[in-house]
Amino acid sequence: MPVLKLSASFSQDFAQALLLEQVRFIKQKLQDPTDQKYLQDFIQKVYHHAEQITLKDVIQRQSLHEVVQKYAFELNLGADILEFIGFSAQKIHQTATTSAAQFDNFLTDEQFELWLYKFLELQQLRQYLQENLQENSQIKQVSLQLANQILENNTPWLDYFRKLNVRNQSIRGKVLNYLQDQQHLIELKLEQQLATAIRYQIGNIILLPNEELAEIALQLWSEIKTKTLQETFSQFESIDFEEFFILAYETWKHLRQTPNMQKIILNIVDAFYEYFSEYSLQELLHAVSLNQADLFNEAQRFAPFCLAALDENEILDDIIGALIAPFYLDENTQKFIENYINQHLNQT
């Protein structure tokens, strides 16, 4: 009996046909709305095996550091994202200025009191704040600016006195001219005394007994909590919101470059790794209250639309094919097909 031998081109064509058939099969299974078993079986197997693999098996501490380095310390938002932030700020402002919701809809009396009494427990922090009010140079500068504004807004006679034009040489005129020459020193002295008084009074408030501070805070909260978002946020323009968010991002860009902030962030990464490194991947999912059913639900929520969009744009076949094509296009695979078929043909 003669030995049959297939040509190399036949094995190549056969491998190509298998590739196309497998792409068709996977695509059909993924897109079948009446049969989600294919996708669910995949998720189930991943979830089951996740119980056997720990975090440290798949992620190294250095890898986490590199991810943080890239996406927290180096990544900069592009112009489109910054524009989106501004657009979102406008939407927030629009929603807030048309909302009748009150502040106590977001924070109950009980929650406010919990935060209040927690702060009052931090006696050392209050002591630290009080000391800084008296000694910190930046706080001194801010208090001087505040004192200056108070004087300008509440003592119009100083401005009148500054602009008063006295030309005669009488004793009264000479006295006024002298006082005008000394006015800058007088105003500066007043500002310094007022700034000192402001810092002193705030320091006294910070160190008031807990009962008195609680009474003051609760009284302020009782006046604020019934105010609506519309009433409060109408005092701001949408541009103020945009600038606030952009300023927060610009501040973060600067802050993230400081060695101390980077050290703090990396310490948190290390703490996460040390705490969870022995956890299985399934336990990590449980730690954030996710289970197999949640994974199914999320797949059903997003997968059909994603797959449909990819198919409509003629991308889905390419993606599936790219995953499995290397096997069928490999020379060893084609030789295996050729040898396998030849062997079975000759046996028959």
Side-chain angles (χ1 to χ4, degrees), residues 151-334:
L151 287 176
E152 287 185 355
N153 294 334
N154 295 279
T155 55
W157 56 271
L158 283 175
D159 185 61
Y160 169 79
F161 183 70
R162 186 188 302 113
K163 296 176 181 178
L164 187 63
N165 186 12
V166 181
R167 295 182 178 179
N168 63 64
Q169 296 300 313
S170 66
I171 294 177
R172 177 177 175 275
K174 290 180 179 180
V175 170
L176 287 175
N177 285 330
Y178 174 78
L179 291 176
Q180 284 179 326
D181 292 338
Q182 300 299 313
Q183 182 171 348
H184 177 70
L185 295 176
I186 295 172
E187 290 182 13
L188 181 59
K189 188 67 175 178
L190 286 172
E191 287 176 7
Q192 290 173 339
Q193 291 179 345
L194 181 57
T196 300
I198 290 172
R199 296 199 308 274
Y200 178 77
Q201 292 302 325
I202 295 177
N204 285 342
I205 293 174
I206 290 175
L207 294 183
L208 281 174
N210 287 357
E211 296 77 10
E212 295 184 35
L213 279 176
E215 184 179 352
I216 294 172
L218 290 172
Q219 179 62 36
L220 290 173
W221 170 243
S222 68
E223 297 175 2
I224 295 173
K225 68 180 183 179
T226 56
K227 293 186 179 298
T228 64
L229 295 183
Q230 181 180 21
E231 179 184 358
T232 303
F233 285 90
S234 295
Q235 311 305 315
F236 305 94
E237 300 293 334
S238 62
I239 187 64
D240 296 322
F241 272 72
E242 291 183 49
E243 291 175 348
F244 171 80
F245 285 110
I246 297 299
L247 179 61
Y249 172 65
E250 293 297 330
T251 302
W252 163 245
K253 280 176 60 179
H254 167 73
L255 187 61
R256 70 182 183 175
Q257 297 301 324
T258 60
N260 288 334
M261 178 53 67
Q262 292 188 358
K263 184 177 180 180
I264 290 172
I265 293 174
L266 292 178
N267 283 340
I268 295 174
V269 172
D270 289 338
F272 169 84
Y273 193 83
E274 290 173 11
Y275 189 89
F276 288 108
S277 62
E278 299 290 341
Y279 275 49
S280 71
L281 300 184
Q282 191 178 111
E283 288 172 329
L284 281 176
L285 289 174
H286 292 169
V288 291
S289 300
L290 291 177
N291 54 34
Q292 183 173 290
D294 294 317
L295 300 181
F296 287 158
N297 292 336
E298 295 306 319
Q300 291 171 355
R301 182 177 289 121
F302 294 104
F305 299 100
C306 293
L307 293 169
L310 292 173
D311 192 31
E312 288 174 6
N313 289 277
E314 301 181 350
I315 299 173
L316 185 58
D317 287 35
D318 290 340
I319 292 176
I320 298 174
L323 294 174
I324 61 178
F327 171 75
Y328 290 103
L329 300 180
D330 185 77
E331 184 179 351
N332 291 327
T333 301
Q334 294 171 5

